[in-house]
Amino acid sequence: MQLDIISKEIIKPSSPTPLQLKTHKLSLLDQLAPDIYTSFLLFYDDPPRVDDKTSTSTNNNYHRLKSSL
């Protein structure tokens, strides 16, 4: 499997978090648990290409995936 990194960026939410969801009460177990941070990768199948313009196709895929998040 070949992995090509096109870009790295932080994608902000499309809408702000509602006020009732901004704060919540944590249980004692949640407060005592250690903080665990992890990163993840999303893998998508490459759609079939109808032309040989790979740069255009890659660019279109990038914008489509970015807007889906």
Side-chain angles (χ1 to χ4, degrees):
M1 172 187 261
Q2 179 183 354
L3 180 65
D4 296 327
I5 298 175
I6 297 172
S7 80
K8 293 181 181 182
E9 65 182 278
I10 297 174
I11 300 173
K12 294 184 180 182
S14 60
S15 61
T17 304
L19 290 175
Q20 68 270 18
L21 297 177
K22 284 195 175 189
T23 58
H24 56 278
K25 296 179 181 179
L26 296 176
S27 69
L28 180 62
L29 183 62
D30 290 329
Q31 293 177 20
L32 296 176
D35 293 334
I36 299 173
Y37 299 99
T38 183
S39 60
F40 62 95
L41 293 171
L42 301 175
F43 290 97
Y44 292 90
D45 288 336
D46 193 18
R49 294 188 177 145
V50 293
D51 58 353
D52 290 332
K53 300 176 182 176
T54 56
S55 62
T56 304
S57 177
T58 302
N59 196 20
N60 289 340
N61 288 341
Y62 169 74
H63 289 295
R64 183 171 46 88
L65 291 173
K66 184 177 175 183
S67 65
S68 74
L69 299 175

PDB file of all heavy atoms in Angstrom, residues 7 17 25 36 48 54 60:
ATOM      1  N   SER A   7      -1.700  17.003   2.111  1.00  0.00           N
ATOM      2  CA  SER A   7      -1.567  18.179   2.964  1.00  0.00           C
ATOM      3  C   SER A   7      -1.930  17.799   4.391  1.00  0.00           C
ATOM      4  O   SER A   7      -2.544  16.768   4.632  1.00  0.00           O
ATOM      5  CB  SER A   7      -2.461  19.322   2.478  1.00  0.00           C
ATOM      6  OG  SER A   7      -3.782  19.136   2.892  1.00  0.00           O
ATOM      7  N   THR A  17     -20.699  24.836  18.271  1.00  0.00           N
ATOM      8  CA  THR A  17     -21.318  23.907  19.209  1.00  0.00           C
ATOM      9  C   THR A  17     -22.466  24.600  19.931  1.00  0.00           C
ATOM     10  O   THR A  17     -22.300  25.709  20.424  1.00  0.00           O
ATOM     11  CB  THR A  17     -20.283  23.435  20.240  1.00  0.00           C
ATOM     12  OG1 THR A  17     -19.168  22.860  19.541  1.00  0.00           O
ATOM     13  CG2 THR A  17     -20.868  22.403  21.187  1.00  0.00           C
ATOM     14  N   LYS A  25     -21.245  17.660  32.919  1.00  0.00           N
ATOM     15  CA  LYS A  25     -20.690  17.190  34.181  1.00  0.00           C
ATOM     16  C   LYS A  25     -20.002  15.852  33.968  1.00  0.00           C
ATOM     17  O   LYS A  25     -20.515  14.963  33.297  1.00  0.00           O
ATOM     18  CB  LYS A  25     -21.794  17.051  35.227  1.00  0.00           C
ATOM     19  CG  LYS A  25     -22.435  18.369  35.582  1.00  0.00           C
ATOM     20  CD  LYS A  25     -23.528  18.181  36.608  1.00  0.00           C
ATOM     21  CE  LYS A  25     -24.167  19.522  36.938  1.00  0.00           C
ATOM     22  NZ  LYS A  25     -25.241  19.383  37.893  1.00  0.00           N
ATOM     23  N   ILE A  36      -5.863  10.610  27.671  1.00  0.00           N
ATOM     24  CA  ILE A  36      -5.278   9.821  26.595  1.00  0.00           C
ATOM     25  C   ILE A  36      -5.588  10.532  25.284  1.00  0.00           C
ATOM     26  O   ILE A  36      -6.751  10.787  24.968  1.00  0.00           O
ATOM     27  CB  ILE A  36      -5.854   8.391  26.554  1.00  0.00           C
ATOM     28  CG1 ILE A  36      -5.549   7.661  27.856  1.00  0.00           C
ATOM     29  CG2 ILE A  36      -5.315   7.629  25.363  1.00  0.00           C
ATOM     30  CD1 ILE A  36      -6.204   6.309  27.979  1.00  0.00           C
ATOM     31  N   PRO A  48     -12.890   4.990  -9.245  1.00  0.00           N
ATOM     32  CA  PRO A  48     -12.340   4.681 -10.565  1.00  0.00           C
ATOM     33  C   PRO A  48     -12.134   5.958 -11.378  1.00  0.00           C
ATOM     34  O   PRO A  48     -12.970   6.863 -11.353  1.00  0.00           O
ATOM     35  CB  PRO A  48     -13.399   3.791 -11.216  1.00  0.00           C
ATOM     36  CG  PRO A  48     -14.561   3.814 -10.332  1.00  0.00           C
ATOM     37  CD  PRO A  48     -14.186   4.423  -9.023  1.00  0.00           C
ATOM     38  N   THR A  54      -4.348  12.824 -13.309  1.00  0.00           N
ATOM     39  CA  THR A  54      -4.303  12.433 -11.901  1.00  0.00           C
ATOM     40  C   THR A  54      -4.242  13.629 -10.973  1.00  0.00           C
ATOM     41  O   THR A  54      -4.790  13.588  -9.883  1.00  0.00           O
ATOM     42  CB  THR A  54      -3.107  11.508 -11.634  1.00  0.00           C
ATOM     43  OG1 THR A  54      -1.922  12.166 -12.052  1.00  0.00           O
ATOM     44  CG2 THR A  54      -3.267  10.191 -12.343  1.00  0.00           C
ATOM     45  N   ASN A  60      -9.673  17.091  -6.885  1.00  0.00           N
ATOM     46  CA  ASN A  60     -11.122  16.936  -6.696  1.00  0.00           C
ATOM     47  C   ASN A  60     -11.420  16.037  -5.503  1.00  0.00           C
ATOM     48  O   ASN A  60     -12.323  16.314  -4.711  1.00  0.00           O
ATOM     49  CB  ASN A  60     -11.777  16.368  -7.948  1.00  0.00           C
ATOM     50  CG  ASN A  60     -11.810  17.357  -9.077  1.00  0.00           C
ATOM     51  OD1 ASN A  60     -11.686  18.560  -8.870  1.00  0.00           O
ATOM     52  ND2 ASN A  60     -11.950  16.858 -10.294  1.00  0.00           N
TER      53      ASN A  60
END
